[in-house]
Structures are given as C-alpha cells and as structure tokens.
Amino acid sequence: MQYGRPDGTFDIVPPVPCGRKEARSFVNDSACWLHVESVFRSVCKTYGFAEIRTPIFEQTDLFHRAVGDGTDIVAKETYDFVTRGGDRLTLRPEGTAGAIRAYVSERLWIERPIAKLLYIGPNFRYERAQRGRYRQHHQAGVEVLGASMPSIDAEIIDLAVSFYRALGIDDITVKVNSVGTKESRASYLDALKAYAEPLLGEMSDDNKRRFEQNPLRMLDSKDKRDIALLQDAPNLIDFLDDASAEHFAKVCQYLTDLGIPFEIDHRLVRGFDYYTRTAFEIQCKVLGDKALGGGGRYNQLVEQLGGPATPGIGFGLGIERVLITMEELGLPRPSGNQLDAFLCPMGDAARDAATSIASNLRKAGLSVDIDYMGRRLKAMLEMADAGGAKYAIVIGDDEIASQTAAVRELATQSQQTIPLSELAMLIKG
Ligand code: AMP
C-alpha cells in the first residue's frame, strides 16, 4: 500500500544531482526554497525586522474574529478540528492573526515601542487546488506594530519590492487602495449596496451571499460577470474620512519619492476584514490574476484581539508563487549546497579511516561526503561530480600507510598527493 500526497500539497525535495538532464520544478526543489527564504530574511534584516514563529494552529475563534466571519477564507476554506480534549482549533489560513495573537500574549509592546516582525511558514486553505493555488501554501511576511505614519506603509511596500527585485523579479505592478476606517466605510457600503441591489439577479451566488453578509467582499469576486457588473460601482476613496484621505495621499507621495511605480486600484479590498486605510497588492504578468503578495494596514486588530490600541501594517507573499514566477521568467536556478570534497576510499583500511578523515575536514568547516558503497573509482568520481564537489579525495592502502591522500581537482582534473594533515588547508584554498 502506497500513500499519495493530499490534494493541493507538494513535496519539497533536494535538487537533482549535477549532470542529470531532467530538472525539477522550482517549487519542488529545496535549494530554491532555501534561496528565497534566505533572501527574504536578509532583505528584512536591512529594514530592521526580527523573526517570529507561532503555532500552525490557533483557537478557531481567533480567525473568526480577526479575519472575519463573512470572508471566503473563514466561511469556506479553513481546516477546523476538535481536539481529543474538546478544544476547537484551526490550522492557520494566514499569518497575521497568529502574529498579533503572539504580540498580545507575549506583551511585546513593553519591550518594543515599534515591533518589526517577520515570519515564514505554512498556511492552510481548503481551496480548489491548481497551479499557484494550493491547500498548503507558504507565506513569508512582515508585521509592523506601534507605528501609524504613512511613511511606514511606503516602507513596507518598498521592502516587498526590494525582495522581489533581489530575486531578479523586476517586472511587477504595485496596486494600492485605501479601505478607510470602519466608520467611513459604512457610508461607502450604503452606496455600494444601492448600486449593486438592482444587479444582484445577474450576480454569482457567492456575491448574493456577500451582499447580505459582508458587501465589501463583493469587490473581491473573481467571477468575470461580477467584475463586469461592478465596473462602475462607486469608489472607496471618494468616501474616505479626511484623515484617511490625507494618509493615502501621503503614502502615494512617499512611493513616488521612493521611485516605486504604482497604480491606484479602486476594486482592491483584499480578502480580510481587518484592514483599515492602506491595502496593496503586487502582481506579475506571468501569474495572471493571481497576486504575488499583498497586505495592508490594520489599526484596530491588536485591540480587537485583547491588546492595547496599537496601529499595525503588514504583508504576506506566497513563496510558491515567487518560485513559479522565477521559473516562468527563466531566472537562473539557485544552486544547492555544493560539496567541497567527496571522499573516495579504496579498500577496507581506507573505508575504516574515511569517517575520521571526513570528520576532521568537517570540523574545519568543509562540506564533505563519502562513498559508503565500496564502488569502483570511476563510479566514485561520477558521484563526486554529481554532488558538485570541488575535489575528489582518493585514499587507498598506500595512502593510509603514508598518511597521505591523492587530491583531484575535478574542474581541471589535476591531481597531487599531500599529507593528510594538509588536506583541509589545500581544500580551503
Ligand atoms: P492572502 O493571505 O490571501 O493575502 O495572500 C497573500 C499571498 O499569499 C498571495 O498574494 C499569494 O502569493 C499567497 N497565497 C494565498 N493563498 C494561496 C494559495 N492557496 N496557494 C498559494 N499561494 C497563496
């Protein structure tokens, strides 16, 4: 009996050994993941962010409160379960709710007036699985808590753009909008409902439900007919309160000052109820209508989750979509961890000695693998090549007797015999 992967998931495995023709797609290749994650961490570091890791499940109620009952994610997509102890838990569908819950639980505001947090991890949504949309997907994201100035909104968008550019993804579109405050949204919602009501008969069932439960979400619809029907709907930014309008104008000004091209998208409301003021999304043509990443400001969320009134802003970006984009754009495949040396022991004495020779080299900081299989020299040299090793170290009975090794540089095929004690120094170069 063999077991398959659950629908909408995939395995991430080591890269195909060097020299093999078949290539693995970037999303399946662990070297590609490590590269993207490490670029994300290092770009975040330059903006002063520190890492946070939270549980992959939280109380179900957290997501109902934070993300919102009327959102598609909570209404249709969460993985909910009851534990043996009777607790109602949910696999996290997004990163912000858990990060804010942790900010409140750990009282981070006491140590950091402004907390700049980054996270990387899996999220779970019961969606119709397809390329770029999975049931387990991974997001890298950031949250800034304690700062309400518009320059922070621009800084966060700048961080996201810098990250994509650092990976070589240049051709991106930044879309921004403002969803105002809860109060200013109320008058917009009246206008939106008045506009949509006569058209409801022609809208999708989902949008009929949204009209009743959470009308703003109608603008999220991916249904082509809904999109066309809502084409001339009133615009949110015409209903903003003065402070939100000023905030939005300043965000746009900062983006211009930073040299980040952007578009104002009046239909952009994002799939969560917690957003206030700035909402943004980043797209790349190769992904079609699927966003590379998105985020926004949430000035009420910390308080809503039991913390002190604290403004916040963040974004999340899908790592799978980053990898798909890199591959579609033909960007070079990030290479895996290449070996410095591959040990080729010939004969029992050499095989016995190989473990401690390799151990000494590893203690000197070198990455070393060994042939464990007693293969012939030719096969061992092929293994060394496949591992991308710089050197093959050949040891036979003679070398053991004289405490030496034959070191072959694989790129040039040049070979020399040196004392074992000088091996690490030679390989380090
Ligand atoms: P969201 O949390 O819905 O705002 O999504 C943020 C980003 O996560 C999106 O722009 C995508 O890059 C990614 N994402 C969201 N849902 C999925 C999914 N089901 N599969 C793959 N990536 C996703």
Side-chain angles (χ1 to χ4, degrees):
M1 167 81 181
Q2 286 197 350
Y3 298 96
R5 276 178 286 107
D7 283 348
T9 65
F10 51 87
D11 297 309
I12 304 167
V13 294
V16 175
C18 307
R20 295 275 178 94
K21 283 210 186 70
E22 74 275 28
R24 188 153 277 144
S25 75
F26 281 28
V27 269
N28 296 114
D29 181 333
S30 61
C32 297
W33 281 79
L34 290 176
H35 175 68
V36 169
E37 289 166 1
S38 106
V39 168
F40 184 74
R41 286 195 172 93
S42 65
V43 170
C44 285
K45 197 171 150 201
T46 63
Y47 287 74
F49 282 77
E51 187 150 349
I52 180 170
R53 298 186 193 190
T54 64
I56 61 161
F57 49 77
E58 299 274 357
Q59 288 177 40
T60 298
D61 192 42
L62 171 72
F63 300 112
H64 284 263
R65 289 217 84 184
V67 176
D69 286 329
T71 59
D72 276 3
I73 292 178
V74 166
K76 300 198 293 199
E77 296 170 2
T78 49
Y79 283 81
D80 305 317
F81 59 102
V82 179
T83 66
R84 291 166 203 268
D87 295 328
R88 286 168 47 78
L89 300 179
T90 293
L91 295 184
R92 68 172 179 223
E94 55 89 62
T96 300
I100 304 309
R101 200 268 314 131
Y103 175 80
V104 173
S105 303
E106 303 299 325
R107 301 167 69 79
L108 291 185
W109 62 87
I110 294 175
E111 31 188 276
R112 295 167 184 260
I114 296 183
K116 292 173 124 182
L117 310 172
L118 83 98
Y119 60 82
I120 298 179
N123 292 329
F124 305 85
R125 296 182 192 173
Y126 195 79
E127 299 200 77
R128 208 156 43 80
Q130 51 182 278
R131 186 169 157 80
R133 183 161 290 132
Y134 307 98
R135 291 185 172 170
Q136 170 171 295
H137 75 275
H138 298 72
Q139 282 189 26
V142 301
E143 314 291 347
V144 180
L145 294 148
S148 59
M149 45 288 218
S151 56
I152 298 281
D153 306 28
E155 191 175 311
I156 291 293
I157 295 173
D158 182 48
L159 191 165
V161 170
S162 302
F163 163 71
Y164 292 122
R165 289 193 179 145
L167 290 170
I169 304 174
D170 292 318
D171 188 14
I172 52 179
T173 308
V174 177
K175 295 188 166 177
V176 292
N177 195 16
S178 174
V179 296
T181 60
K182 215 173 173 185
E183 294 72 37
S184 66
R185 248 187 336 257
S187 54
Y188 173 70
L189 292 181
D190 289 342
L192 179 64
K193 286 184 86 167
Y195 171 88
E197 195 158 20
L199 306 171
L200 267 189
E202 297 167 64
M203 288 206 196
S204 67
D205 288 346
D206 272 338
N207 257 14
K208 288 188 184 109
R209 176 179 59 80
R210 291 174 185 135
F211 180 87
E212 295 301 335
Q213 291 178 358
N214 195 340
L216 191 65
R217 300 270 78 83
M218 290 192 293
L219 300 176
D220 272 343
S221 177
K222 299 283 178 277
D223 183 297
K224 288 208 172 74
R225 223 156 28 122
D226 292 343
I227 294 172
L229 288 167
L230 289 165
Q231 183 74 28
D232 298 321
N235 291 334
L236 252 163
I237 54 172
D238 296 330
F239 289 76
L240 294 182
D241 54 286
D242 290 348
S244 295
E246 191 188 336
H247 186 96
F248 188 56
K250 284 197 169 145
V251 173
C252 295
Q253 185 57 50
Y254 283 120
L255 290 176
T256 307
D257 294 347
L258 286 164
I260 298 174
F262 64 93
E263 293 170 11
I264 296 175
D265 179 347
H266 297 294
R267 298 287 162 272
L268 178 66
V269 289
R270 315 265 304 120
F272 308 101
D273 281 353
Y274 51 62
Y275 286 125
T276 51
R277 296 195 171 166
T278 313
F280 68 93
E281 216 160 76
I282 297 177
Q283 298 189 331
C284 181
K285 273 196 208 89
V286 297
L287 283 177
D289 65 354
K290 294 192 187 78
L292 258 179
R297 183 164 275 291
Y298 45 81
N299 287 346
Q300 264 96 48
L301 186 58
V302 179
E303 207 174 353
Q304 219 176 312
L305 299 182
T310 308
I313 181 165
F315 73 72
L317 54 91
I319 300 183
E320 291 81 358
R321 293 195 189 170
V322 166
L323 292 168
I324 291 171
T325 304
M326 289 171 69
E327 192 161 11
E328 290 276 335
L329 291 175
L331 296 175
R333 174 185 297 271
S335 58
N337 188 17
Q338 310 248 303
L339 289 173
D340 292 306
F342 190 84
L343 230 63
C344 309
M346 300 181 50
D348 290 340
R351 266 191 292 281
D352 287 345
T355 309
S356 68
I357 295 171
S359 172
N360 285 336
L361 295 175
R362 289 166 182 155
K363 284 185 189 115
L366 296 164
S367 61
V368 180
D369 206 355
I370 308 174
D371 178 78
Y372 303 101
M373 310 290 289
R375 278 180 261 245
R376 288 172 200 269
L377 182 60
K378 185 166 175 285
M380 290 198 282
L381 292 175
E382 279 168 12
M383 288 286 294
D385 253 338
K390 269 199 289 218
Y391 293 96
I393 300 169
V394 184
I395 306 164
D397 290 342
D398 291 350
E399 284 78 13
I400 292 294
S402 58
Q403 286 294 290
T404 58
V407 182
R408 183 189 291 227
E409 189 174 7
L410 289 164
T412 58
Q413 294 292 321
S414 65
Q415 185 164 318
Q416 57 181 311
T417 297
I418 60 161
L420 281 180
S421 56
E422 291 172 19
L423 206 47
M425 219 160 49
L426 176 89
I427 296 170
K428 278 186 158 177

